[in-house]
C-alpha cells in the first residue's frame, strides 16, 4: 500500500495530465502574442516554451513540501509558479534590459498586487513590480517575470524569462549539467570558483560578439551583407571544404563547386525553417552537427544514384527539370555531387529530397512572376500562358547547359533584365509581343 505522499503525487500527476491541452494552448497563444509584439525589434531572436514534465512536477512537489502545504491538488496546481515556462531570446546581455523595458511599457495598466496588463480584457497579466533582473540562488542575474493567464474561471501561472544567447548557454550548464546532476558532490568553494570562471568567460565572449556585431552593423549598407547571408556563406564554405576533401582523398584531385553549395545551403536553411520553425541560429547549429556527421562517415563518391518514379510533380517545368537531373546525375560529376550532398544533408530519400529541391527552385520563379506581372495588364489565363512560355525557354537552356547556377540564379537574372528593358519602352504590350521580347531577351542574354 502506497504512503500518503505517493498517493498525492499520483493524484497531482493525473490532474496535471488533464490540463495538458489547456496549458499547451496558453503557452502557444502567449508565445504567438509576444512574438508579434517583439517581431520588429532588432534585439529579438526567438521565443521558446516548455510545459512542466510530470517528473519535474513531482520533484518540485517533494522538494518544496507542497504535499504538506496543500491538501487540495487543484489549488496546488493553480498556485504552481512555472507550469509553463516561456523564454524570450535575444543576441546580447544588454538586449535583455531593452526587451524587458519594451514589455514593461506595453503592459502598463495596473490591475493590483503588482500585476499589469496591456489591456483590461487581456488574459495575460505580468508582475512587473518586482526588481529586475532578479538574483538567482547561484548569485547570478536573470530577467524572470511571474505571469498569469486567465482561462475561463481558472488563472494559470507561468514564468517568463528574457535571456541572451550567452545566458541561454549558461542556463543549460547551470540547470542540466550541475543542478540536475546529483551524482557529483563538489566542494562548495571549488564549485563557486569554477562557475564564476565560466560565467566570466561567457560574459567576455558576449562583449566581444557585441563589438563585432556593432562594427558590422555600422558599416555602410552597400559594403556588407546581412547576418543571415554571412551564415549561409560560412555554411557553404564548410560544406564545400568537407566534400572537396573527400573528393581529394578518394579521387586524388581538387574540385571546385562553390556556386552549387551556395544554392544548396539556401535550400537547406529554408527547408529546416519550414519544417521545424527554427531560427537561423538554430538551423546553423543543426546543419553544423550534420556536416560533422557527414565528415566522419564513410561514403563512396563513385557509387551511382538510383532514382525511381514513385514521386512526380503535376507542374511541367518542375517535372522536366527533375527528369534532366535524374538523367545526368549518373554522367555529370558536378550533378552527382550536388544530389549526394542534398540527400546526405537532409538525411532523406533521394527522390523526395530532389523533388523538394526542384520545388524550391520553382518557387523562386513563382515569386519573380508575381512581381513582374503586376506591371502587365494581362488576364489570369494569359499570365499563365506567358509564365509557361518563359519557363519552357529556361528549361530548354538548362537542358543544354546543365548549369545549376543558371537554373537557380542566372535565368532569374535574365528574366529580370528582360523585364526592365520592356518597362523602359513604356508601352502597352499584348501577350504575343511579350512572348517575343522574352524569347529574344532570354536567348540573347543566355
Amino acid at each position: 500500500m502506497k504512503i500518503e505522499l505517493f498517493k498525492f503525487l499520483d493524484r497531482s500527476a493525473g490532474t496535471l495530465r488533464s490540463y495538458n491541452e489547456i496549458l499547451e494552448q496558453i503557452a502557444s497563444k502567449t508565445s504567438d502574442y509576444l512574438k508579434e509584439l517583439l517581431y520588429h525589434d532588432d534585439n529579438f531572436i526567438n521565443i521558446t516554451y516548455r510545459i512542466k514534465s510530470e517528473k519535474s512536477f513531482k520533484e518540485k512537489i517533494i522538494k518544496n513540501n507542497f504535499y504538506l502545504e496543500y491538501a487540495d491538488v487543484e489549488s496546488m496546481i493553480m498556485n504552481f509558479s512555472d507550469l509553463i515556462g516561456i523564454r524570450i531570446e535575444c543576441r546580447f546581455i544588454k538586449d535583455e534590459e531593452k526587451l524587458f523595458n519594451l514589455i514593461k511599457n506595453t503592459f502598463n495598466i495596473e490591475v493590483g498586487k503588482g500585476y499589469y496588463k496591456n489591456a483590461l480584457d487581456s488574459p495575460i497579466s505580468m508582475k512587473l513590480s518586482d526588481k529586475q533582473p532578479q538574483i538567482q540562488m547561484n548569485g547570478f542575474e536573470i530577467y524572470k517575470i511571474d505571469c498569469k493567464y486567465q482561462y475561463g474561471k481558472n488563472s494559470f501561472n507561468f514564468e517568463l524569462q528574457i535571456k541572451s544567447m550567452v545566458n541561454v548557454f549558461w542556463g543549460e550548464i547551470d540547470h542540466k549539467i550541475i543542478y540536475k546532476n546529483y551524482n557529483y558532490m563538489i566542494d562548495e568553494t571549488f564549485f563557486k570558483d569554477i562557475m564564476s570562471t565560466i560565467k566570466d568567460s561567457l560574459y567576455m565572449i558576449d562583449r566581444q560578439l557585441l563589438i563585432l556585431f556593432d562594427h558590422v552593423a555600422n558599416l555602410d549598407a552597400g559594403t556588407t551583407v546581412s547576418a543571415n547571408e554571412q551564415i549561409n556563406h560560412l555554411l557553404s564554405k564548410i560544406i564545400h571544404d568537407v566534400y572537396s576533401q573527400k573528393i581529394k582523398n578518394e579521387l586524388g584531385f581538387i574540385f571546385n563547386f562553390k556556386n552549387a553549395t551556395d544554392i544548396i545551403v539556401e535550400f537547406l536553411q529554408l527547408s529546416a525553417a519550414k519544417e521545424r520553425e527554427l531560427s537561423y541560429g538554430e538551423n546553423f547549429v543543426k546543419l553544423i552537427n550534420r556536416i560533422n556527421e557527414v565528415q566522419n562517415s564513410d561514403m563512396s563518391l563513385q557509387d551511382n544514384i538510383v532514382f525511381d518514379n514513385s514521386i512526380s510533380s503535376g507542374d511541367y517545368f518542375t517535372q522536366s527539370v527533375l527528369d534532366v537531373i535524374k538523367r545526368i546525375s549518373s554522367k555529370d560529376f558536378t550533378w552527382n555531387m550536388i544530389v549526394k550532398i542534398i540527400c546526405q544533408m537532409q538525411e532523406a530519400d533521394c527522390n523526395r529530397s530532389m523533388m523538394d529541391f526542384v520545388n524550391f527552385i520553382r518557387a523562386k520563379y513563382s515569386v519573380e512572376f508575381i512581381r513582374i506581372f503586376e506591371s502587365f495588364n494581362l488576364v489570369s489565363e494569359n499570365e499563365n500562358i506567358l509564365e509557361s512560355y518563359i519557363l519552357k525557354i529556361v528549361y530548354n537552356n538548362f537542358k543544354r547547359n546543365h548549369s545549376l547556377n543558371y537554373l537557380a540564379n542566372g535565368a532569374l537574372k535574365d528574366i529580370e533584365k528582360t523585364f526592365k528593358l520592356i518597362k523602359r519602352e513604356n508601352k502597352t504590350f499584348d501577350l504575343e509581343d511579350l512572348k517575343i521580347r522574352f524569347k529574344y531577351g532570354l536567348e540573347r542574354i543566355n
Side-chain angles (χ1 to χ4, degrees):
M1 186 174 180
K2 289 185 178 180
I3 62 174
E4 190 58 36
L5 163 62
F6 293 103
K7 290 181 181 179
F8 185 86
L9 290 176
D10 288 342
R11 291 199 304 273
S12 300
T15 305
L16 179 66
R17 282 195 296 274
S18 70
Y19 281 120
N20 269 348
E21 187 175 341
I22 293 174
L23 295 174
E24 182 67 34
Q25 288 181 33
I26 291 172
S28 178
K29 288 180 180 178
T30 304
S31 296
D32 288 345
Y33 167 75
L34 291 170
K35 189 178 291 185
E36 186 177 346
L37 172 66
L38 304 172
Y39 182 76
H40 296 292
D41 193 289
D42 290 338
N43 305 306
F44 169 72
I45 293 180
N46 191 33
I47 286 183
T48 60
Y49 68 82
R50 62 106 184 102
I51 310 297
K52 204 165 195 67
S53 67
E54 285 188 27
K55 180 182 176 183
S56 180
F57 180 63
K58 290 178 179 180
E59 179 183 345
K60 190 164 185 176
I61 292 172
I62 295 172
K63 286 181 65 177
N64 292 278
N65 290 329
F66 286 159
Y67 62 95
L68 296 176
E69 184 177 346
Y70 297 96
D72 176 12
V73 168
E74 194 83 20
S75 61
M76 180 196 67
I77 287 179
M78 292 306 156
N79 281 283
F80 232 84
S81 64
D82 61 345
L83 287 175
I84 299 168
I86 298 178
R87 186 173 72 201
I88 297 171
E89 297 174 3
C90 54
R91 290 189 181 89
F92 305 109
I93 293 170
K94 73 177 184 66
D95 297 336
E96 295 175 350
E97 183 180 3
K98 293 179 180 179
L99 292 182
F100 171 75
N101 287 333
L102 192 156
I103 290 171
K104 192 172 182 179
N105 291 334
T106 303
F107 284 76
N108 55 12
I109 302 173
E110 189 172 1
V111 292
K113 296 183 179 180
Y115 282 85
Y116 292 79
K117 290 186 174 185
N118 66 322
L120 287 175
D121 59 348
S122 171
I124 304 170
S125 57
M126 299 187 180
K127 193 175 184 183
L128 298 172
S129 58
D130 292 336
K131 184 179 178 181
Q132 298 286 354
Q134 297 181 17
I135 306 298
Q136 301 178 91
M137 290 180 64
N138 59 19
F140 298 113
E141 297 179 339
I142 183 172
Y143 281 88
K144 183 170 68 174
I145 307 168
D146 292 330
C147 306
K148 294 180 182 291
Y149 193 102
Q150 192 67 38
Y151 192 97
K153 66 177 182 178
N154 292 319
S155 180
F156 292 89
N157 297 320
F158 68 92
E159 184 178 280
L160 176 65
Q161 296 183 2
I162 305 173
K163 285 189 172 184
S164 63
M165 292 186 292
V166 160
N167 278 332
V168 168
F169 180 65
W170 165 254
E172 295 295 313
I173 296 173
D174 186 44
H175 192 68
K176 291 186 178 179
I177 298 178
I178 297 172
Y179 174 73
K180 288 287 188 182
N181 197 334
Y182 302 113
N183 296 321
Y184 295 97
M185 299 300 294
I186 306 176
D187 174 77
E188 186 177 357
T189 304
F190 174 74
F191 168 80
K192 287 183 177 179
D193 287 345
I194 288 293
M195 296 297 281
S196 294
T197 302
I198 294 172
K199 188 70 170 180
D200 288 344
S201 298
L202 289 174
Y203 272 35
M204 181 182 68
I205 291 170
D206 177 86
R207 289 191 294 272
Q208 290 172 337
L209 288 173
L210 177 59
I211 291 169
L212 179 62
F213 180 84
D214 287 342
H215 174 73
V216 173
N218 290 328
L219 289 174
D220 180 73
T223 63
T224 187
V225 293
S226 72
N228 290 350
E229 287 177 319
Q230 292 180 55
I231 289 175
N232 282 0
H233 288 323
L234 177 59
L235 281 169
S236 177
K237 184 180 187 320
I238 295 171
I239 291 175
H240 179 271
D241 290 350
V242 166
Y243 280 93
S244 290
Q245 189 60 48
K246 285 185 175 291
I247 292 171
K248 184 178 180 182
N249 291 344
E250 183 175 338
L251 304 178
F253 60 83
I254 300 295
F255 192 77
N256 188 330
F257 49 100
K258 183 68 171 59
N259 286 340
T261 56
D262 286 345
I263 297 163
I264 291 170
V265 165
E266 182 187 355
F267 163 67
L268 293 173
Q269 283 279 33
L270 289 174
S271 296
K274 181 180 178 182
E275 290 178 10
R276 306 179 188 89
E277 296 185 351
L278 301 177
S279 69
Y280 246 77
E282 290 170 321
N283 288 342
F284 176 79
V285 172
K286 191 170 186 68
L287 288 172
I288 285 292
N289 289 336
R290 180 57 190 151
I291 292 168
N292 286 335
E293 291 172 4
V294 169
Q295 185 175 22
N296 296 322
S297 67
D298 293 327
M299 62 173 288
S300 173
L301 301 175
Q302 301 177 59
D303 287 346
N304 197 13
I305 301 166
V306 179
F307 291 101
D308 60 44
N309 297 318
S310 60
I311 298 176
S312 60
S313 172
D315 179 77
Y316 175 80
F317 176 78
T318 304
Q319 187 62 54
S320 299
V321 168
L322 183 61
D323 288 343
V324 171
I325 294 172
K326 287 180 177 181
R327 187 182 73 253
I328 65 173
S329 62
S330 61
K331 305 173 184 177
D332 185 291
F333 183 74
T334 301
W335 269 106
N336 189 277
M337 287 304 305
I338 290 169
V339 173
K340 283 177 178 172
I341 292 171
I342 291 171
C343 297
Q344 285 189 336
M345 290 301 299
Q346 283 212 305
E347 298 181 87
D349 171 72
C350 260
N351 295 282
R352 179 74 267 172
S353 291
M354 292 312 298
M355 177 60 77
D356 290 344
F357 181 67
V358 179
N359 281 333
F360 150 75
I361 292 173
R362 179 64 175 89
K364 289 164 74 85
Y365 284 91
S366 296
V367 171
E368 180 67 16
F369 286 126
I370 289 171
R371 188 179 69 83
I372 67 175
F373 285 161
E374 289 178 352
S375 299
F376 299 144
N377 188 24
L378 297 174
V379 297
S380 178
E381 181 182 356
N382 285 346
E383 285 183 352
N384 293 334
I385 292 172
L386 181 58
E387 181 173 341
S388 298
Y389 182 81
I390 294 171
L391 287 176
K392 189 170 183 179
I393 297 173
V394 173
Y395 163 69
N396 286 330
N397 289 337
F398 171 66
K399 191 167 62 172
R400 289 193 300 271
N401 63 34
H402 296 167
S403 168
L404 173 58
N405 194 46
Y406 169 77
L407 183 66
N409 293 320
L412 286 163
K413 290 178 182 177
D414 292 352
I415 293 170
E416 185 178 6
K417 287 178 185 176
T418 305
F419 169 62
K420 286 179 179 178
L421 291 172
I422 293 172
K423 277 193 71 176
R424 201 176 297 165
E425 294 186 45
N426 199 24
K427 297 178 183 177
T428 301
F429 296 98
D430 61 19
L431 175 62
E432 292 306 315
D433 286 334
L434 291 172
K435 286 168 71 172
I436 291 170
R437 277 164 172 77
F438 271 106
K439 184 176 189 298
Y440 171 76
L442 266 66
E443 290 181 346
R444 178 178 59 84
I445 295 170
N446 187 56

